[in-house]
Amino acid sequence: ADEAGQWGPAASRSVSASSEKASQKVGMLQTEFETRTRVFEDDAEFIVEVRNGISSAELDPDFELKNLGLRFENWKTEFKVRLKETRGMLKKHEGASAGNSGHNLVAGGGG
C-alpha cells in the first residue's frame, strides 16, 4: 500500500514477485523432501542388508543406524523451520493479495 493506504501498480508488482518467490521456495522444499526421503530410505536399506549379511561393508550396522537416525532428526528439525518460514511467507502473500484486490487494510478504514 502507498502512503494513503491504496494499492497501485508498484504494490501489484511486489505481490507478484513475492508470489513467485514463495512458489519457488515451495518447489525447492518439495524437491528436497523427495530427494532426502530417497536418500534416507536407501541408506536404511543398505544398513539392513549389511546387518543381515546380504551386503558386505566395513561398518557397524548398529552405529550406522543410530547415526542415520540422528541425521534424520537434525534434517527434520531444520526442514520444519524452513516450512514454517515458507508458510509465513505464503500467509503474508495471501494478505497482500487480499489487500490488492480492493480491500482497504487500514485499521478502521471501513472497507
Side-chain angles (χ1 to χ4, degrees), residues 21-32:
K21 186 176 180 180
S23 293
Q24 288 175 347
K25 192 158 186 157
V26 169
M28 288 173 26
L29 287 172
Q30 179 181 2
T31 299
E32 178 186 351

Side-chain angles (χ1 to χ4, degrees), residues 15-111:
V15 169
S16 178
S18 174
S19 174
E20 187 169 327
K21 186 176 180 180
S23 293
Q24 288 175 347
K25 192 158 186 157
V26 169
M28 288 173 26
L29 287 172
Q30 179 181 2
T31 299
E32 178 186 351
F33 180 82
E34 292 168 353
T35 300
R36 295 300 288 188
T37 298
R38 283 191 300 272
V39 169
F40 285 126
E41 287 173 350
D42 289 348
D43 287 354
E45 286 176 17
F46 179 69
I47 293 168
V48 169
E49 287 176 4
V50 170
R51 186 179 207 179
N52 293 337
I54 297 170
S55 294
S56 178
E58 295 291 322
L59 58 86
D60 176 0
D62 294 328
F63 173 80
E64 294 300 329
L65 196 54
K66 184 181 283 188
N67 189 23
L68 180 62
L70 291 173
R71 284 192 352 234
F72 173 75
E73 289 300 322
N74 288 335
W75 172 81
K76 185 172 75 170
T77 300
E78 293 170 6
F79 193 78
K80 282 183 179 182
V81 169
R82 291 197 308 278
L83 277 175
K84 187 175 181 179
E85 290 170 353
T86 303
R87 188 175 300 125
M89 181 186 294
L90 290 171
K91 285 184 179 184
K92 187 174 168 182
H93 168 68
E94 286 174 5
S97 292
N100 196 27
S101 65
H103 295 93
N104 187 349
L105 297 180
V106 177

